[in-house]
Amino acid sequence: MDQDKYYMQMALDLAASARGRTSPNPMVGSVIVKDGEIVGKGYHARAGSAHAEVVALADAGDRAKSATVYVTLEPCCHHGRTGPCTEALLKAGVKKVVVAMKDPNPLVAGKGISILEQAGVTVVSGVLEQEAIKLNEVFLKYITTRRPFVVLKAATSLDGKIATAGGESKWITGEAARQQGHRLRDIYDAILVGVNTVLTDDPSLTARLPEGRGRDPIRVIVDSTARTPTAAKILLQESAAYTIIATTEAAPVERRASLMAAGAEVIVVPGPGPTVDLVKLMEILGEKEISSVLIEGGGKVNGSALSAGIVDKVAWFIAPTIIGGDDAPGPVRGPGIKGLGDATRLYNLSFEGLGSDIYITGYTTERGGKISLPE
């Protein structure tokens, strides 16, 4: 078992090397071992490219015959963008397959393991299962609900302020925390802010990492009356990512047209109004195969997202500064709650020091973003 864990951890590390690049597919890694020697390795690099098992089998060549294959997710057994991995494994003549977790995709959900076992291949599942679940928390939410995994990010002072009473907010946190923020932008499909953030800060909403390695997320602006300026950076800057303006029927038709002419995709989100229905918006983004959303909004958007129940995970940066002031804004606005029993509680917390700042992550459910895997 220790040997299985060793090779599975190697496969998990391979899978993680494609973090933020495989959406809407999962991250998957594979290692092939024969007579105690690693003969093949591979990972799924992006949607539409060869799956991890196929890459590892190509790396192993003829040495894959009678070998043991370690793979972080149950091999697929259906035709999607690529062919079934079960067929490739059987054709290669592997002897044993060790799986970290079963695939919750209804098209697979244990069928891949069953096909291998019926063909005489020994299958062991559940090796480093929790680590595999954690790695693919985005995929697990998306594939079972068809809605994106939502992360709410905030940066505050020690006394819970996001800006001074005069509106100054750059920079509350230090360089290390800001770089982590850009890494979050790099790994999630989309970044969501409210129109007030655009009007006040005119942000780029791009992922700026060393040596230009960042991948810009799709920009989603919650703007119920289409007030986004056509000269905003999010519309004029050079970026491989596009901008979505999520609005309502209350938005003037001419404003919608001008934003579309400026290059934005305008979505009229159905709902009672007067604000954008965030639950409906998540459904629409899921239909577009946007599997994850990072919320970097102000207090109004953050409060609305929490009230709507769309937040799965929180990423919170705390700076060791005290701003004070009755008029200094906080990170969550809205009507608030009447009793502490109604407060949003975080579970499965992690804490990390980033320079002089503290970085806290947690989940809004006790399951910590996990789901029940198929039996």
Side-chain angles (χ1 to χ4, degrees), residues 103-111 143-144 146:
D103 191 342
N105 185 341
L107 295 175
V108 186
K111 299 182 186 73
I143 202 64
T144 55
R146 291 297 172 180

Side-chain angles (χ1 to χ4, degrees), residues 23 35 103 110 123 127 169 175 184 187 218 238 260 287 292:
S23 179
D35 299 327
D103 191 342
V123 179
V127 177
S169 61
E175 178 62 26
L184 293 177
I187 65 175
I218 297 165
E238 291 187 11
M260 287 188 284
E287 291 170 358
S292 58

Side-chain angles (χ1 to χ4, degrees), residues 222-237:
V222 177
D223 183 0
S224 58
T225 55
R227 292 185 293 148
T228 300
T230 54
K233 286 181 183 177
I234 55 169
L235 296 175
L236 297 181
Q237 67 195 354

Side-chain angles (χ1 to χ4, degrees), residues 12-343:
L12 287 166
D13 291 342
L14 283 168
S17 62
R19 191 182 297 276
R21 302 298 184 266
T22 63
S23 179
N25 289 356
M27 291 174 277
V28 185
S30 182
V31 174
I32 302 178
V33 179
K34 186 173 184 179
D35 299 327
E37 178 188 356
I38 296 173
V39 296
K41 294 190 293 185
Y43 66 92
H44 181 50
R46 64 184 183 281
S49 69
H51 287 190
E53 303 95 311
V54 173
V55 176
L57 288 170
D59 187 35
D62 293 340
R63 294 175 296 176
K65 186 173 178 61
S66 299
T68 296
V69 177
Y70 293 85
V71 61
T72 59
L73 184 69
E74 176 184 6
C76 66
C77 53
H78 64 289
H79 287 272
R81 290 182 171 96
T82 61
C85 291
T86 49
E87 288 185 8
L89 291 166
L90 294 175
K91 184 177 180 180
V94 305
K95 181 180 181 180
K96 181 179 178 181
V97 176
V98 181
V99 177
M101 61 174 285
K102 293 181 180 179
D103 191 342
N105 185 341
L107 295 175
V108 186
K111 299 182 186 73
I113 289 175
S114 180
I115 288 171
L116 294 173
E117 289 179 330
Q118 289 174 14
V121 176
T122 300
V123 179
V124 176
S125 61
V127 177
L128 298 186
E129 180 181 72
Q130 292 305 313
E131 289 83 350
I133 289 173
K134 173 73 173 176
L135 177 70
N136 274 313
E137 60 189 11
V138 167
F139 171 73
L140 298 182
K141 165 76 181 294
Y142 174 73
I143 202 64
T144 55
T145 66
R146 291 297 172 180
R147 295 185 185 182
F149 184 85
V150 178
V151 180
L152 188 152
K153 177 217 160 192
T156 68
S157 62
L158 196 59
D159 58 336
K161 306 294 186 179
I162 60 173
T164 67
E168 183 180 353
S169 61
K170 296 183 179 180
W171 297 102
I172 289 177
T173 55
E175 178 62 26
R178 294 199 297 274
Q179 280 297 299
Q180 177 62 21
H182 283 286
R183 282 191 286 271
L184 293 177
R185 293 181 180 184
D186 175 68
I187 65 175
Y188 294 118
D189 289 354
I191 182 170
L192 183 149
V193 302
V195 65
N196 287 333
T197 295
V198 176
L199 294 173
T200 303
D201 300 334
D202 194 19
S204 298
L205 303 182
T206 53
R208 299 183 291 280
L209 293 175
E211 301 174 359
R213 292 184 292 106
R215 177 197 57 85
D216 292 344
I218 297 165
R219 296 171 288 277
V220 180
I221 314 303
V222 177
D223 183 0
S224 58
T225 55
R227 292 185 293 148
T228 300
T230 54
K233 286 181 183 177
I234 55 169
L235 296 175
L236 297 181
Q237 67 195 354
E238 291 187 11
S239 174
Y242 62 99
T243 298
I244 294 173
I245 307 294
T247 190
T248 67
E249 290 287 358
V253 174
E254 61 273 15
R255 285 296 304 151
R256 300 183 215 171
S258 64
L259 288 169
M260 287 188 284
E265 177 181 347
V266 177
I267 298 174
V268 178
V269 181
T275 59
V276 173
D277 186 323
L278 294 182
V279 173
K280 289 289 186 182
L281 176 58
M282 292 305 111
E283 292 176 1
I284 293 169
L285 297 182
E287 291 170 358
K288 293 178 172 294
E289 293 193 333
I290 294 174
S291 65
S292 58
V293 174
L294 176 68
I295 297 178
E296 277 196 24
K300 185 177 179 180
V301 167
N302 292 346
S304 296
L306 289 168
S307 296
I310 65 170
V311 177
D312 298 291
K313 187 175 183 178
V314 170
W316 205 284
F317 300 86
I318 301 177
T321 56
I322 298 173
I323 293 176
D326 291 341
D327 295 329
V332 181
R333 292 177 56 191
I337 57 174
K338 293 183 178 180
L340 287 175
D342 298 322

